[in-house]
Amino acid sequence: MSFAKSKLPNVGTTIFTVMSALANEHKAINLSQGFPDFEVDAKLIDLVHQAMRQGYNQYAPMPGYMPLREMIAEKLYHTYNIEVNPDTEITITSGGTEALFDAIQAIVKPDDEVIIFDPAYDCYAPAVKLAGGKVVSIPLNPPHFSLDWNSIKASIHEKTVAILLNTPHNPTGTILKEADIQNLIEIIKNTNLYLISDEVYEHLVFDNQIHHSVLRYPQLRQRSFAIYSFGKTFHTTGWKIGYCVAPPELTQEFRKIHQFVTFASPSFVQVAYAAYLKDPEHYLTIPHFYQRKRDIFRKLLQENTQFDVLPCEGSYFQLVSYQRITDEPDTEFAIRMTKEIGVAAIPVSVFYQNQEQNRLLRFCFAKKEDTLHSAAERLSKL
Ligand code: PMP
Ligand code: GLN
């Protein structure tokens, strides 16, 4: 029976689920959905086992296990030189996805507008629509996917409630620069706009550039929900633990939603992360670790394939243009490549509100070196 009044009539199953299933079906190397194919640190696995054996198997406190929130506050002090109150400003969630949903539901009312940059990660727009809000898409300018601050300024009016930022950016691999932050500070100065800042790839910033978290800037921090994910930082995407950092009055509203979406996130994982965070090396080594993978993968693509490799300043995604290979639409090409060549990628049009065709694919390079080599060998046949 078809559902006549879908709240999300144009939404199907996410491309990540579709492409991973296709990759499995055809035994393809899966560079589509973003997740690592290497082992999690054995120390962290031991900590999880230990926490379960110690009895951390019942509900965690609704805002999160306090020692974990305290360790996050310490980490924020080390990374961004800011004081954050773990009691009133940090909430543990079931992944960055839940945190994004909660933040959007907390602030968006029917007919409110939220500015989202196009292309964007796929969970933002549906959450805005479920809250009754309207997505205002502003294109990022290729080839560098830069922000056009004049059109952003022109799009802000009394209905605009928030801007959704994402740095490092999925899918383009770009990062916000100091000049972007200054522009942002300037244009929101006399507004009541909130910022939802998706910073799940905060530690995947390359070439000695810095991550411009909204938390570093008091003018931004006071109106921001900053969102993070341990899945990305500690190669544990299946554990689904993230967190939101926001000023007390925003955190209060955020928790009103969080408590009825999941109430609390898995207890033993929170206990394990709290212990693991005591050694900052565990996150300080991440940029170097992924930069090496980025460099290997880019070189392999450049030397062995007909893809044109776009810049990648952060995240674990590499965009490529396939215009020298075919003029097929990207979804068709991605499906054919999975079936015939045995490598799965994400067609970039799915990240656009209007399915724009730029002849781009997104590869995830959070993979073992062997995997990257095998993928490049297969892709060289195109
Ligand atoms: N934001 C972005 C930009 C992402 O790429 C992802 C996905 N992995 C998320 C949020 C969701 O993070 P999590 O897996 O922790 O829910
Ligand atoms: N964030 C991951 C990506 O962009 C996927 C997460 C998911 O499958 N929902 O590939």
Side-chain angles (χ1 to χ4, degrees):
M1 192 177 116
S2 71
F3 192 77
K5 288 197 177 147
S6 172
K7 295 182 76 176
L8 297 170
N10 301 319
V11 169
T13 303
T14 80
I15 190 70
F16 307 115
T17 302
V18 171
M19 288 312 298
S20 279
L22 195 72
N24 288 340
E25 186 188 334
H26 293 274
K27 300 195 172 30
I29 299 172
N30 190 0
L31 306 189
S32 64
Q33 191 178 21
F35 63 90
D37 74 342
F38 40 85
E39 290 307 316
V40 172
D41 186 349
K43 275 189 275 181
L44 182 53
I45 305 257
D46 286 345
L47 288 168
V48 170
H49 289 171
Q50 217 178 67
M52 289 176 105
R53 275 193 232 102
Q54 283 169 347
Y56 288 98
N57 300 302
Q58 309 309 329
Y59 295 125
M62 180 275 278
Y65 177 60
M66 191 42 123
L68 175 58
R69 287 188 274 152
E70 284 165 355
M71 286 313 301
I72 291 170
E74 217 168 281
K75 175 176 183 283
L76 289 165
Y77 182 75
H78 288 311
T79 42
Y80 306 128
N81 200 21
I82 51 166
E83 305 266 358
V84 178
N85 183 328
D87 186 27
T88 57
E89 297 183 281
I90 299 173
T91 310
I92 310 295
T93 58
S94 295
T97 311
E98 195 226 332
L100 286 158
F101 187 82
D102 296 349
I104 290 168
Q105 302 310 313
I107 56 172
V108 178
K109 299 198 183 79
D111 300 326
D112 281 349
E113 294 185 0
V114 178
I115 293 178
I116 297 184
F117 302 107
D118 219 18
Y121 185 55
D122 68 346
C123 77
Y124 308 153
V128 170
K129 289 176 193 160
L130 285 174
K134 193 175 146 211
V135 171
V136 175
S137 294
I138 300 192
L140 296 174
N141 298 325
H144 300 296
F145 299 98
S146 51
L147 290 157
D148 177 350
W149 289 101
N150 288 331
S151 40
I152 299 168
K153 194 170 174 188
S155 305
I156 296 175
H157 53 93
E158 68 279 11
K159 289 257 183 224
T160 318
V161 68
I163 302 179
L164 216 153
L165 303 162
N166 173 212
T167 182
H169 188 260
N170 180 5
T172 67
T174 54
I175 58 175
L176 287 187
K177 307 292 176 346
E178 177 67 33
D180 292 312
I181 297 288
Q182 294 312 327
N183 276 312
L184 179 61
I185 290 174
E186 189 54 36
I187 68 163
I188 63 173
K189 207 163 55 187
N190 299 316
T191 73
N192 295 319
L193 283 185
Y194 297 108
L195 300 173
I196 298 174
S197 188
D198 179 347
E199 304 184 12
V200 299
Y201 299 104
E202 64 176 326
H203 294 296
L204 283 76
V205 174
F206 310 132
D207 307 317
N208 298 316
Q209 301 202 69
I210 71 160
H211 170 58
H212 288 287
S213 171
V214 290
L215 300 178
R216 289 181 190 270
Y217 303 88
Q219 310 94 307
L220 301 182
R221 181 179 164 191
Q222 62 182 5
R223 50 170 94 213
S224 291
F225 298 86
I227 285 160
Y228 302 92
S229 168
F230 286 123
K232 309 293 167 185
T233 305
F234 296 138
H235 323 307
T236 48
T237 61
W239 296 5
K240 294 298 295 186
I241 300 281
Y243 55 99
C244 171
V245 182
E249 52 293 1
L250 299 190
T251 291
Q252 242 175 34
E253 291 304 308
F254 180 91
R255 288 181 186 168
K256 288 183 190 174
I257 312 293
H258 165 70
Q259 68 183 347
F260 296 130
V261 173
T262 54
F263 180 68
S265 304
S267 48
F268 50 89
V269 186
Q270 297 191 48
V271 175
Y273 283 139
Y276 196 65
L277 278 171
K278 288 194 178 130
D279 183 355
E281 280 300 297
H282 291 144
Y283 52 84
L284 295 176
T285 49
I286 297 298
H288 174 75
F289 174 80
Y290 275 116
Q291 182 168 328
R292 190 181 140 76
K293 291 194 184 294
R294 178 202 65 171
D295 292 345
I296 290 170
F297 188 53
R298 288 173 65 85
K299 192 155 180 275
L300 283 167
L301 291 179
Q302 279 158 343
E303 290 179 355
N304 301 289
T305 76
Q306 296 297 311
F307 289 116
D308 293 311
V309 180
L310 274 66
C312 169
E313 305 174 292
S315 81
Y316 47 46
F317 300 117
Q318 176 63 57
L319 288 193
V320 296
S321 161
Y322 61 84
Q323 60 189 5
R324 286 194 286 142
I325 298 174
T326 174
D327 55 11
E328 282 162 275
D330 62 358
T331 303
E332 243 166 69
F333 179 50
I335 292 172
R336 182 170 73 80
M337 198 172 82
T338 308
K339 291 180 179 170
E340 293 176 8
I341 302 292
V343 180
I346 299 288
V348 171
S349 63
V350 301
F351 296 101
Y352 283 89
Q353 287 293 305
N354 61 1
Q355 303 275 303
E356 197 161 309
Q357 279 297 335
N358 285 339
R359 309 257 184 282
L360 298 175
L361 294 180
R362 189 200 79 175
F363 288 116
C364 171
F365 57 78
K367 305 292 169 188
K368 292 181 231 166
E369 272 181 43
D370 275 359
T371 312
L372 298 176
H373 278 274
S374 310
E377 197 186 307
R378 293 185 183 189
L379 293 170
S380 68
K381 296 184 197 122
L382 280 166

